[in-house]
Amino acid sequence: MSAAKVKMREKKMRNQPASVQYPSSSSNVERVGNTGYNPVNDFHLHLYLAHSAGAFARARAAEVSAMLKAVRKTTSSSRVFEALPKHMRRRAMSHNTKRTWDIRKARRRHGNLLLEFNRRQRKNIWLETHIWHAKRFHMVKKWGYCLGDRPTYKCYRACYRAMSSHCLLQDLSYYCCIELQGDEDKLLAALSQLTSKEAGPTFAAALCLSGRRQGSVMVYRAGRYPSQPLGPVTFLWRPRTQGSAHRQLWIWAHPTLKQDLLPELQTVCQCCEAVLPPAAPVVVNLTLEAESEPENTPEAKPVPGTKRKRSRKDATGPPAKKILGDGTRLPSTPVSWRSSSNGIVINDLTMEIVRYRLIGPQSHSVLVDTLEAATGCDKSQTCSLWWPQHCSDEAKMTLHQQQADIFNILKGIYSTAELPSGTVLGLTVDDPRLTLPRKRVKALPCVKQLMLEGVPEPCCQSFIWEQSVRDNVTDNKISEQELNRMRSEVLVPGSRLSPTPLQGRVPILLVHQPGKQVGHEMSSWGAGWDLLLPKGWGMAFWIPLVYRGVRIGGLNMSRKHSQNKAAPHFPRDYPDCPAGMRFQEEQEAELLDKFKRHPPAKRTNYIKHGCVAPFRCPWQQLAEEWEIIVREGSSQTRTTAQADAVTEERTSQQAISITKPPSRFTVLRCMNRKALKLLSAWCRPTTSKGQRPCRVGELPPISCEAMTSFLSAHAMSLVWVHVSLLSKGKPEYHAMLCVPTPEDLKALGNRQGTGGPQEPPHRDHFKSRIKHRKKDPKKAATSSVTPNKPDGKKTDLIFASDLDTNTSKDPKSFSESSSDLVLGLWPDPLPSVASHCSRVTVGWVTQGDFSMSAGCGEALGFVSVAGLLNTLLNQTSEHKGKLLLRNPTSLHYRFAKINIEV
């Protein structure tokens, strides 16, 4: 044997146990092979082979024992399956012990998965489409739910194209539904305390009261209009029943609004008596048990191709069942409240009804291609299902046929926007899984155009209003396993099941959602349909809709949809509502935490940028300051003395407000149509980028008398504005809207410097205090509050408002205040927010991005009514409504045109 072979043998055998010895018998083999046949030699050969087999077995046994010894001897940092050397492992193992194959197989069983899913919903509720979204979306935990925010793949432009030309699908099942039942007159009397006719149509609007249209209204605290708004809600009346005054009303509200709205409804309806839910009895489904557990007889044999099921005789408890609806709610929690005086009943139907929203001009094409009107059944059949009982009534079947005919008319409509806004259509459809295409297809419209005037009142009726029908449909839903078995028995693969199973009829409700209804451009953009389903049927309708080529949007697309419609998004754009205030506080804490996670050298110094509030919008302070400025008749240009006067005035008002409650700011919304039309005309509305003016009616021009008269009623008000940049740039969140000086407008008129002016850098006089506090806290407490002198390297602009006049000069109090300082941020209390920079601030941006429809940067936000009127009064007719926009992280101003769309 060569030296190389010897080394190779030693390398292979060095890991073998030392107790195993291999006899060197190569000479014997050679000797036996060289001799001729001899019985004696043959006997010796058998003895040798037996000896070799025994040695081989002993060697393998030694290896096995060594391996078992190494496996049993584990360290604290290794797992059982990690004890083997790496070269002996056959697959990569995880550090999670539960991910071993046997354990994971047990965890992935259906019953164990349901128990695990139910446990994970204790803090945040899952929608029925949660698992589908969790595989494809970035999930966020908001408002007590786990919701999809944005897709993991790039589809921003595709989603915009879907909203503009095809269809975008969203799951809005997290919206809360509150049901009111009682006499019509008593319900309207109670709800009238939450609204006002001055703010527009109320719950008593004729078309909405009949049940033909869905209505929307701004809800206020009882008897507090217009000072204390709660938020916007949509409502839907059930059509009247002939000869009965009993009515049923559904109110849909955002989850952040429910905690404020539900107590108000209980107060005005006098529903203080809680109705405890009855104890749910344990119902044993004898039919299912008979199918799953065959009789123990000699004739009972297992069916080939089916899985063997475990017997439930030795089970310790009932099998796991999926929680539908709000499974985190305790069984003893009341969901109904009754009034003993007027008989009104309030039911909380949160998570009891699935709600999908389809946005786009071809939403009706997707619905028509996905849904089919329910087919009839044999009237002689008697069972516990709701549809056979429904078919036995001729009047109900006649109504169902009328609804099916109207639904078929939708095939001839060219665009969803052709329908009247808020149209309601009730219908009963077959299980959409029965007509699921084998591949994804794109639903396209018919060429024929048809204008639909409206749906008759009887056809707005739907059995989804009945609690018993909803429970019957949910409890008797066909499982996926049974449906797949029925499909396997079809002769032609992919064809429809015939006859349709009796459990495959679902009552639904279609509610039309109007698109953009304000402004002069993109009219009816973003119109669509809302699809209301019983709980438990979410995925049964979701997958067929996805197979029709729709795009799926999350919370991010909801904000973009509102932005393109120039509509405020709740609760972000409702700063005067309790939900909006809570949202602003939560967002400020989130942005501040994100800001602190970056090192000081890698984050923006907002003090040097002249941004006093980068993470929140102090609307109350802005409204108060502009009220003082307009009352004192200040000019457009700001001076240091004026800023000091405003600061002193605010300080005196804060002292007075200790004994007198301060006046809260209000928001001029679309309900104040007359005031908004006047403001819109004074701003001279134009198209995007200010290209051409829009036609407006004859209205009085702005003057000092008109401004004084307008401010007498709306001095502490804000107004919703649509901002379009006149040049390049993209508005960001919390961007400042400022007043241009005459020199700025002159440069814009001469086509010079159209990019906008530049904000001079400010001085951060808190930076030295923070450094002294870090080096020597005791020395920092006794240091002077005078700001550092300029170093001469660059020109620093210092205003009187830059100095914190409210900071105490007491060293002890100064040390307490300096301990809360954050480098780059102004501490509380804030200086003057209106006159802090070289340009006076009149408002902020709440939504901003590049608009694909306009081809420029667009933003939405609020401005002070007093500041806007003061600005318009000092501007020429050529530059009416032109402001400056500056992002918080930039020193560059850009010209923008504001429009108030009515």
Side-chain angles (χ1 to χ4, degrees):
M1 186 181 297
S2 62
K5 290 185 178 181
V6 171
K7 290 183 179 180
M8 185 179 297
R9 175 182 173 82
E10 291 177 355
K11 184 177 180 181
K12 290 183 179 180
M13 295 299 176
R14 64 184 178 185
N15 293 328
Q16 297 294 334
S19 60
V20 180
Q21 296 180 359
Y22 296 91
S24 177
S25 56
S26 59
S27 59
N28 295 334
V29 176
E30 295 176 357
R31 186 166 55 250
V32 171
N34 293 332
T35 58
Y37 176 76
N38 191 343
V40 177
N41 294 337
D42 191 20
F43 174 73
H44 287 290
L45 179 63
H46 282 79
L47 289 178
Y48 169 73
L49 294 176
H51 175 74
S52 301
F56 180 80
R58 287 192 298 270
R60 301 288 79 76
E63 288 182 0
V64 171
S65 62
M67 182 181 66
L68 294 177
K69 182 179 179 181
V71 168
R72 295 191 184 99
K73 187 179 180 181
T74 60
T75 60
S76 59
S77 61
S78 64
R79 306 289 189 268
V80 175
F81 47 80
E82 295 175 344
L84 290 175
K86 290 184 179 181
H87 70 279
M88 297 181 68
R89 301 178 190 175
R90 290 299 175 263
R91 62 176 59 89
M93 292 295 183
S94 170
H95 292 282
N96 186 3
T97 58
K98 295 183 179 180
R99 290 188 65 88
T100 56
W101 177 249
D102 294 335
I103 297 177
R104 186 174 186 273
K105 186 177 180 181
R107 289 176 62 245
R108 299 297 296 180
R109 288 197 184 105
H110 184 67
N112 297 339
L113 270 182
L114 294 179
L115 290 176
E116 177 67 14
F117 290 163
N118 296 339
R119 182 192 65 81
R120 290 163 63 182
Q121 296 184 58
R122 294 175 183 173
K123 293 184 179 180
N124 298 280
I125 307 173
W126 289 6
L127 305 183
E128 294 187 16
T129 58
H130 171 82
I131 297 179
W132 191 95
H133 279 90
K135 295 178 180 179
R136 301 164 178 88
F137 276 67
H138 295 283
M139 307 300 290
V140 294
K141 297 177 180 179
K142 280 189 174 183
W143 316 312
Y145 297 88
C146 193
L147 306 174
D149 183 48
R150 63 192 187 280
T152 54
Y153 47 89
K154 297 179 180 180
C155 64
Y156 177 76
R157 292 179 178 270
C159 289
Y160 174 79
R161 287 194 297 266
M163 289 188 291
S164 301
S165 58
H166 193 246
C167 180
L168 181 82
L169 177 62
Q170 292 179 319
D171 189 356
L172 299 185
S173 302
Y174 58 90
Y175 266 73
C176 304
C177 180
I178 303 176
E179 181 185 61
L180 275 68
Q181 297 185 20
D183 292 340
E184 180 179 326
D185 297 336
K186 296 179 180 179
L187 287 176
L188 293 177
L191 295 174
S192 62
Q193 304 178 40
L194 304 178
T195 59
S196 175
K197 294 182 179 180
E198 299 178 0
T202 62
F203 290 97
L207 282 177
C208 300
L209 191 60
S210 64
R212 299 179 59 185
R213 304 285 177 85
Q214 176 186 248
S216 60
V217 68
M218 189 72 182
V219 179
Y220 298 81
R221 293 197 182 274
R224 298 297 182 88
Y225 171 83
S227 58
Q228 297 186 17
L230 294 180
V233 298
T234 58
F235 61 93
L236 188 62
W237 286 94
R238 184 178 184 178
R240 296 183 179 91
T241 304
Q242 188 175 5
S244 176
H246 186 272
R247 297 300 302 272
Q248 196 171 348
L249 172 67
W250 282 352
I251 299 178
W252 293 86
H254 196 271
T256 58
L257 177 58
K258 176 186 172 183
Q259 57 181 324
D260 302 317
L261 177 62
L262 189 57
E264 291 294 327
L265 290 175
Q266 294 175 355
T267 301
V268 297
C269 296
Q270 303 177 9
C271 295
C272 302
E273 180 183 352
V275 180
L276 296 178
V282 179
V283 180
V284 181
N285 195 335
L286 299 179
T287 305
L288 293 179
E289 288 191 357
E291 294 179 357
S292 60
E293 297 181 6
E295 297 181 0
N296 190 11
T297 59
E299 292 78 12
K301 296 182 179 180
V303 181
T306 60
K307 294 183 179 180
R308 184 180 62 183
K309 295 185 178 180
R310 295 179 299 175
S311 176
R312 296 181 183 175
K313 295 181 180 179
D314 55 348
T316 57
K321 183 179 180 182
K322 186 175 182 179
I323 295 180
L324 298 175
D326 190 357
T328 61
R329 182 187 294 147
L330 296 176
S332 58
T333 304
V335 294
S336 299
W337 297 268
R338 184 185 302 273
S339 174
S340 57
S341 58
N342 52 26
I344 297 179
V345 179
I346 298 178
N347 297 320
D348 186 4
L349 300 183
T350 301
M351 294 296 294
E352 292 294 315
I353 299 176
V354 178
R355 184 161 191 158
Y356 294 156
R357 175 161 294 177
L358 291 87
I359 303 171
Q362 304 307 326
S363 300
H364 67 286
S365 302
V366 174
L367 288 175
V368 169
D369 197 19
T370 305
L371 308 178
E372 289 189 8
T375 54
C377 64
D378 189 2
K379 303 178 183 178
S380 60
Q381 296 181 358
T382 57
C383 60
S384 60
L385 301 177
W386 77 281
W387 183 247
Q389 300 176 4
H390 179 83
C391 293
S392 61
D393 193 338
E394 294 293 341
K396 294 180 179 178
M397 291 304 297
T398 303
L399 178 61
H400 171 70
Q401 187 60 40
Q402 295 176 2
Q403 293 174 338
D405 294 340
I406 294 178
F407 182 71
N408 292 330
I409 294 177
L410 294 178
K411 299 179 181 179
I413 295 179
Y414 181 74
S415 176
T416 308
E418 296 179 4
L419 297 171
S421 60
T423 299
V424 179
L425 174 62
L427 189 65
T428 302
V429 298
D430 287 337
D431 190 341
R433 295 175 296 176
L434 304 177
T435 58
L436 185 67
R438 304 190 67 179
K439 294 192 303 183
R440 291 187 61 172
V441 295
K442 192 169 185 179
L444 298 175
C446 301
V447 180
K448 182 180 178 181
Q449 298 186 9
L450 176 67
M451 296 296 294
L452 188 65
E453 296 181 356
V455 176
E457 182 177 343
C459 296
C460 302
Q461 185 63 265
S462 175
F463 282 91
I464 197 175
W465 291 91
E466 298 288 344
Q467 179 70 33
S468 58
V469 175
R470 295 199 304 266
D471 295 341
N472 190 298
V473 172
T474 301
D475 297 338
N476 295 281
K477 176 190 172 186
I478 305 176
S479 64
E480 292 289 340
Q481 180 181 4
E482 181 66 18
L483 191 62
N484 292 334
R485 185 190 64 80
M486 297 169 64
R487 286 172 178 167
S488 64
E489 297 175 355
V490 178
L491 296 179
V492 180
S495 60
R496 175 171 178 150
L497 298 178
S498 181
T500 304
L502 297 179
Q503 305 95 320
R505 275 78 172 191
V506 187
I508 65 171
L509 203 61
L510 297 175
V511 182
H512 182 265
Q513 293 295 328
K516 185 178 179 181
Q517 296 180 308
V518 296
H520 303 274
E521 295 179 315
M522 299 176 60
S523 179
S524 300
W525 185 93
W529 287 92
D530 278 9
L531 177 61
L532 277 62
L533 310 167
K535 67 177 181 180
W537 285 85
M539 288 303 298
F541 281 77
W542 183 267
I543 297 300
L545 290 172
V546 171
Y547 265 64
R548 265 65 183 191
V550 301
R551 281 281 176 178
I552 310 300
L555 297 178
N556 186 37
M557 271 304 133
S558 295
R559 295 190 292 268
K560 297 301 178 184
H561 179 234
S562 299
Q563 180 178 343
N564 290 326
K565 291 198 307 180
H569 186 266
F570 190 85
R572 176 189 298 266
D573 301 323
Y574 287 80
D576 55 338
C577 298
M581 299 176 189
R582 290 191 295 267
F583 173 83
Q584 186 169 347
E585 294 175 358
E586 295 171 0
Q587 188 184 51
E588 181 184 7
E590 179 181 352
L591 295 177
L592 181 60
D593 181 67
K594 182 179 179 180
F595 178 80
K596 291 181 178 179
R597 287 199 299 266
H598 291 80
K602 301 299 180 181
R603 63 193 187 195
T604 305
N605 190 320
Y606 291 104
I607 297 181
K608 292 185 178 180
H609 281 70
C611 182
V612 294
F615 305 142
R616 62 187 174 98
C617 301
W619 302 111
Q620 181 69 23
Q621 183 175 346
L622 179 70
E624 292 176 355
E625 291 183 4
W626 270 109
E627 185 189 20
I628 298 172
I629 293 175
V630 173
R631 183 174 4 112
E632 294 179 353
S634 62
S635 61
Q636 182 180 2
T637 56
R638 184 183 63 80
T639 61
T640 303
Q642 176 186 342
D644 294 339
V646 172
T647 305
E648 293 176 1
E649 182 73 15
R650 284 190 60 251
T651 306
S652 61
Q653 284 189 354
Q654 291 176 358
I656 298 175
S657 62
I658 299 177
T659 57
K660 181 181 178 181
S663 59
R664 288 286 305 171
F665 70 94
T666 58
V667 176
L668 285 177
R669 293 188 172 86
C670 59
M671 283 73 83
N672 301 19
R673 191 175 299 273
K674 184 177 179 181
L676 289 179
K677 281 186 176 181
L678 194 59
L679 279 178
S680 178
W682 287 343
C683 291
R684 295 193 64 185
T686 61
T687 58
S688 300
K689 287 190 174 182
Q691 295 174 353
R692 60 183 184 275
C694 299
R695 296 181 180 179
V696 295
E698 293 294 335
L699 293 174
I702 186 172
S703 60
C704 293
E705 294 77 9
M707 185 183 73
T708 304
S709 175
F710 194 94
L711 291 179
S712 61
H714 307 290
M716 287 287 294
S717 297
L718 306 176
V719 62
W720 179 255
V721 295
H722 182 209
V723 185
S724 299
L725 293 182
L726 302 182
S727 60
K728 63 179 182 180
K730 186 181 76 170
E732 296 179 0
Y733 194 59
H734 288 167
M736 292 171 285
L737 297 174
C738 304
V739 181
T741 61
E743 292 77 13
D744 299 334
L745 296 177
K746 184 178 179 181
L748 177 64
N750 296 334
R751 301 294 180 184
Q752 298 176 0
T754 55
Q758 196 85 3
E759 174 72 16
H762 294 233
R763 177 184 299 161
D764 184 6
H765 54 271
F766 293 101
K767 187 174 182 180
S768 59
R769 303 181 188 181
I770 296 177
K771 289 183 178 180
H772 292 167
R773 182 193 64 191
K774 291 181 179 179
K775 292 181 180 180
D776 191 357
K778 296 182 180 180
K779 185 177 180 181
T782 58
S783 62
S784 175
V785 299
T786 305
N788 297 336
K789 295 182 180 181
D791 52 4
K793 296 182 180 180
K794 59 180 180 180
T795 58
D796 292 345
L797 187 65
I798 305 176
F799 298 126
S801 58
D802 292 341
L803 302 179
D804 194 356
T805 57
N806 297 325
T807 303
S808 174
K809 295 184 179 181
D810 184 23
K812 184 177 181 181
S813 62
F814 173 70
S815 63
E816 295 176 356
S817 62
S818 62
S819 62
D820 299 332
L821 294 178
V822 179
L823 185 63
L825 295 179
W826 273 93
D828 289 330
L830 297 178
S832 175
V833 296
S835 55
H836 177 69
C837 302
S838 61
R839 271 70 177 176
V840 184
T841 305
V842 292
W844 288 280
V845 167
T846 59
Q847 299 182 39
D849 202 351
F850 181 83
S851 175
M852 294 185 179
S853 59
C856 65
E858 288 189 346
L860 299 170
F862 293 96
V863 298
S864 170
V865 172
L868 178 62
L869 292 180
N870 184 71
T871 303
L872 296 175
L873 187 63
N874 293 277
Q875 287 182 343
T876 62
S877 59
E878 180 185 0
H879 299 296
K880 289 289 185 183
K882 292 182 179 179
L883 297 179
L884 292 174
L885 184 143
R886 182 165 70 91
N887 292 327
T889 58
S890 174
L891 294 174
H892 190 76
Y893 289 94
R894 298 190 182 275
F895 285 100
K897 178 67 174 66
I898 66 169
N899 289 323
I900 300 176
E901 299 180 337
V902 184

